[in-house]
Amino acid sequence: EIRRMHELVDQTTQVLQQARNELISVNQRGKSESSAGVENGAKGKKKEAAACKHIDQLLWKAEVDLENVEDMYLRHVDNQKETATSLSVSIADMNQRLSRAASDVEASFTRALGDMRSWFR
């Protein structure tokens, strides 16, 4: 499922890039047609409307794909919580306690070293 999420993200990136390129194209076409005059006004508007509709479809597809990725991710996270065994929870708890104890020892050692340095000043 992780692999499929990566594929969907890559596909969505491509779709968004395509939509961006088409939007730029529509903007440039609109500017060039406005400077050329109103010769093919109705025909140009139909082409522009069709291009905008296509861009809208691409953006809708990207939105749906991203929602699917989000759902897949949340399912993955939930599955990890359910598959956590009591042993892995105990190990994580022990690891946290050991880290805290090591930090306390380090702090005590640093204080003691500082105290010893003050003796020789």
Side-chain angles (χ1 to χ4, degrees):
E1 195 162 50
I2 298 290
R3 182 179 50 81
R4 179 67 182 136
M5 285 171 38
H6 284 284
E7 289 172 359
L8 275 174
V9 168
D10 290 341
Q11 289 173 2
T12 303
T13 302
Q14 292 172 354
V15 166
L16 288 172
Q17 185 63 39
Q18 182 183 355
R20 181 175 181 262
N21 291 341
E22 290 187 21
L23 188 60
I24 290 170
S25 173
V26 166
N27 282 338
Q28 289 175 346
R29 233 183 290 136
K31 288 178 184 177
S32 66
E33 286 178 2
S34 66
S35 64
V38 190
E39 296 170 3
N40 298 328
K43 201 176 204 180
K45 290 287 183 191
K46 282 185 180 181
K47 282 185 179 181
E48 185 177 330
C52 288
K53 185 175 180 179
H54 185 252
I55 292 169
D56 187 52
Q57 289 171 342
L58 290 172
L59 293 175
W60 177 81
K61 182 183 181 338
E63 180 183 10
V64 169
D65 285 348
L66 288 177
E67 287 173 357
N68 288 338
V69 169
E70 182 182 22
D71 291 343
M72 293 166 84
Y73 175 75
L74 292 175
R75 226 178 5 257
H76 175 72
V77 169
D78 287 343
N79 287 341
Q80 281 185 334
K81 288 177 187 174
E82 292 172 2
T83 58
T85 64
S86 59
L87 177 64
S88 63
V89 171
S90 297
I91 290 173
D93 185 46
M94 184 176 66
N95 186 19
Q96 186 179 23
R97 288 181 186 185
L98 285 173
S99 295
R100 197 175 315 124
S103 295
D104 292 345
V105 167
E106 182 182 6
S108 297
F109 181 73
T110 303
R111 271 195 311 273
L113 190 60
D115 291 344
M116 288 175 57
R117 284 185 181 157
S118 68
W119 296 344
F120 297 106
R121 287 186 185 173

